Amino acid sequence: MTQFFDKNKLKEMLLKKDYSFPGNPFEPSSDQPIDEDKLLSFAALADYLDETYGTGEKPSIHRKNLEKIIGSSLAQHLIGLNKSEYYKVLTHFAVLSRVKRGWFNLFVTLPIRTTTKPSLSDNPSFFSRNESKKLHDAIVWCFYFRLTQGMTAQEKERYPMLLPRGHYPTGFDGLIVLLDKAIQNLFSMLHQNTDGFYDERSLPDAGLDEAIEQTRTIAHKFLSEIMDKGHVADTLRTTLIKLASLNRATNDIDAILSMYSEVCDGLPNDIQPLIDIESESEILPALIRIFKSQPSDRKNRDLPDDLIECSQLVCRMYINTSPPPTQSAENLKGFSDSHTMPIATAVSAALLYHDYLTQKKLSLNVRGETNKSINAYKMLSDLAKRITTTDKLTSEDLWKYGLPEELFKYLTTRYSISRHGLSYFYPSRQGAEAHLKVRVKKLELQKETYGLLKDITVEDAHQFISNLYLSVEEATPDAN
């Protein structure tokens, strides 16, 4: 008798990363082709899914979700090349649909993704306490694992870059990270060579359009160099892995861009006087002078007791999660020193005091949370009380302590653009907004580059990213 997997059992399996599914050829984790004469029919697949998972539905209804992830015309083409692989994908989608309706929203982008907005918490983490978030994470891991598990020996030899690697569900996710670093570092080098970049009177977005266009031109040049390699077209399975990861990366950028609007709303009018801070003892008196003249809905303007501690925590978050492009020991020390100086603490304190005075609440799309309105200062203050280390503070530490990634990005981004936006030549808010504009343009360029990868093979994408990344690394010899 066939073993039966009901909805609760499937959820339990995924949460435990127990992928002990049947070895039936219909399963995506099986590398055996479906027998064309006996089993390759919708009727046979429907019987198997109903008997094994109690689906009670036509398997073909899941085709629309495949089309949402990879596109309808590409789906039609790849389905025609290998119906056995198509049926395995339908089984995969049917099982995930039993676990959670709407699961595919984790792997599609706007405007197709209509039920939920992109969230950085869509990505799997290792320390989630929220049950809904845990299930989302389990779905992402299962989605990729079963697809890579069922690759044939020949496919695994041809596509080693797709196999799971470290804390990434697939190696392709790691490639996207390398691409992001290459684009960002290439842009930074080019931007620094534009006219006016080192002119203190110029806003931080001086030369931005020129640097963006130069970065785009170089990226297209590297892409054109590998387009004539003649790689064989990808399969349905490998295309699904690649495009699902590109869609998730696109969602990350959309989530960050959405969060940036909150960053702009959280900037004080002008904290320029902090540019002359030289000692920690000057910080609190300076804040009282600055904010005495700024409007506030809060009558009690007393400085919170843990303001300096929370301010230094944000600086530490930034130091340990945003290293400079060139990571020699000298550069890393200079970077760390720059963001532990009294002026850095003062900037961070001003931003947090602004939150405290205005009772700033953030509308961040944190997956699994029912209360979308986050009191920024209170959550950071609670975190500061629970953190015991004063040294390294990694992303994993922040996950462990339950800090939503959106809030972390909000705090560190706002601090960074405000710290670098201080100048004698223009108001601090104007400088911060110019820095934010640079970040927006870089992210939009990364997103644009993802689009280039959608229409090329996995091998070409791998070669393009590797060539671009290595070239940028060679241009910055101190990067390692």
Side-chain angles (χ1 to χ4, degrees):
M1 181 177 179
T2 303
Q3 184 180 4
F4 186 75
F5 298 80
D6 62 17
K7 183 175 183 177
N8 290 332
K9 181 174 178 60
L10 289 171
K11 282 186 177 181
E12 182 182 357
M13 289 173 63
L14 265 61
L15 288 169
K16 293 181 177 179
K17 289 189 179 180
D18 172 14
Y19 305 127
S20 303
F21 290 91
N24 192 288
F26 280 125
E27 296 289 340
S29 48
S30 170
D31 62 0
Q32 298 301 309
I34 301 169
D35 189 292
E36 189 170 348
D37 295 328
K38 298 180 180 178
L39 296 176
L40 200 56
S41 70
F42 278 124
L45 176 58
D47 288 344
Y48 173 74
L49 290 173
D50 197 34
E51 292 171 5
T52 311
Y53 301 105
T55 56
E57 60 193 14
K58 294 181 178 180
S60 58
I61 68 170
H62 297 288
R63 174 169 174 159
K64 65 180 183 297
N65 293 333
L66 173 62
E67 293 177 349
K68 288 176 181 178
I69 296 174
I70 71 173
S72 56
S73 59
L74 184 55
Q76 182 177 351
H77 170 69
L78 293 174
I79 287 169
L81 296 179
N82 193 326
K83 285 192 176 181
S84 176
E85 282 291 273
Y86 172 49
Y87 280 29
K88 289 174 184 285
V89 169
L90 292 180
T91 298
H92 195 27
F93 286 18
V95 170
L96 293 175
S97 292
R98 288 288 286 160
V99 173
K100 183 175 180 62
R101 292 181 61 186
W103 65 270
F104 55 87
N105 278 295
L106 294 166
F107 304 96
V108 299
T109 60
L110 297 170
I112 296 173
R113 178 178 178 146
T114 55
T115 57
T116 57
K117 294 180 180 179
S119 168
L120 291 173
S121 53
D122 284 338
N123 292 315
S125 61
F126 297 101
F127 303 104
S128 176
R129 296 185 178 92
N130 183 283
E131 293 305 315
S132 176
K133 173 72 168 70
K134 287 180 181 178
L135 185 59
H136 280 125
D137 292 356
I139 288 171
V140 172
W141 280 106
C142 181
F143 174 86
Y144 289 112
F145 183 86
R146 298 197 73 201
L147 288 173
T148 54
Q149 186 182 38
M151 290 168 64
T152 64
Q154 292 84 357
E155 285 177 321
K156 289 178 181 178
E157 183 177 351
R158 180 185 171 190
Y159 297 105
M161 73 290 290
L162 293 182
L163 301 179
R165 188 167 301 168
H167 60 275
Y168 297 118
T170 78
F172 200 84
D173 295 295
L175 281 178
I176 294 174
V177 172
L178 289 184
L179 175 62
D180 291 344
K181 288 181 179 178
I183 294 294
Q184 291 171 14
N185 292 348
L186 175 61
F187 166 82
S188 295
M189 286 191 297
L190 295 172
H191 194 199
Q192 290 171 22
N193 288 326
T194 58
D195 291 339
F197 181 85
Y198 290 106
D199 186 343
E200 293 183 0
R201 295 166 297 181
S202 299
L203 282 167
D205 59 350
L208 173 60
D209 292 340
E210 178 185 351
I212 287 291
E213 189 55 39
Q214 289 176 346
T215 307
R216 178 185 290 116
T217 299
I218 292 174
H220 279 265
K221 175 180 178 292
F222 273 87
L223 183 64
S224 65
E225 289 176 352
I226 55 92
M227 289 304 293
D228 298 327
K229 299 295 183 181
H231 286 136
V232 178
D234 294 322
T235 64
L236 175 61
R237 182 185 298 257
T238 54
T239 298
L240 183 55
I241 294 170
K242 181 190 78 171
L243 290 178
S245 289
L246 286 171
N247 288 344
R248 288 176 50 243
T250 299
N251 285 336
D252 285 349
I253 288 181
D254 286 340
I256 294 172
L257 291 175
S258 176
M259 179 271 295
Y260 278 175
S261 64
E262 293 277 355
V263 170
C264 282
D265 292 339
L267 294 173
N269 289 333
D270 194 11
I271 56 173
Q272 190 183 45
L274 297 179
I275 199 170
D276 293 319
I277 291 288
E278 294 182 352
S279 68
E280 190 173 302
S281 62
E282 300 176 51
I283 296 175
L284 299 183
L287 294 181
I288 292 173
R289 290 193 299 272
I290 290 172
F291 285 93
K292 183 168 62 175
S293 61
Q294 295 194 12
S296 171
D297 296 332
R298 190 177 177 88
K299 294 181 180 179
N300 181 10
R301 290 176 172 268
D302 291 343
L303 293 161
D305 294 336
D306 60 353
L307 180 59
I308 296 298
E309 181 183 1
C310 290
S311 305
Q312 292 173 338
L313 175 58
V314 172
C315 293
R316 207 161 81 239
M317 288 180 190
Y318 180 72
I319 291 169
N320 291 324
T321 57
S322 307
T326 52
Q327 296 180 36
S328 65
E330 182 181 357
N331 283 334
L332 287 172
K333 185 180 185 305
F335 178 76
S336 178
D337 290 347
S338 173
H339 297 287
T340 51
M341 294 170 61
I343 185 176
T345 303
V347 170
S348 181
L351 299 171
L352 294 176
Y353 187 43
H354 178 68
D355 289 341
Y356 178 79
L357 289 174
T358 59
Q359 291 291 284
K360 175 69 176 176
K361 291 185 177 180
L362 305 173
S363 298
L364 300 177
N365 188 30
V366 180
R367 188 69 60 242
E369 297 290 338
T370 55
N371 181 12
K372 305 298 184 183
S373 184
I374 296 175
N375 186 312
Y377 192 90
K378 183 178 184 306
M379 182 166 281
L380 182 65
S381 180
D382 291 343
L383 176 67
K385 292 181 177 69
R386 288 183 286 127
I387 288 182
T388 56
T389 179
T390 57
D391 299 319
K392 284 289 185 181
L393 188 66
T394 66
S395 299
E396 288 77 11
D397 290 328
L398 298 174
W399 290 336
K400 180 176 66 176
Y401 285 109
L403 183 72
E405 189 167 356
E406 275 85 354
L407 179 56
F408 157 71
K409 290 282 188 184
Y410 170 83
L411 292 170
T412 55
T413 297
R414 186 180 61 163
Y415 161 73
S416 174
I417 63 173
S418 298
R419 171 71 175 88
H420 293 104
L422 277 186
S423 171
Y424 288 110
F425 300 101
Y426 42 77
S428 65
R429 178 161 185 148
Q430 189 178 3
E433 289 176 342
H435 269 289
L436 192 62
K437 182 180 178 182
V438 173
R439 288 177 175 239
V440 168
K441 289 293 186 180
K442 282 196 294 184
L443 285 174
E444 290 175 346
L445 183 58
Q446 287 173 220
K447 185 175 173 180
E448 177 186 320
T449 310
Y450 297 162
L452 301 178
L453 303 185
K454 290 187 175 185
D455 298 325
I456 63 177
T457 67
V458 170
E459 290 168 293
D460 283 343
H462 179 220
Q463 193 67 57
F464 163 65
I465 294 171
S466 299
N467 291 352
L468 180 62
Y469 180 78
L470 290 174
S471 178
V472 175
E473 285 287 282
E474 290 173 359
T476 53
D478 292 331
N480 294 315

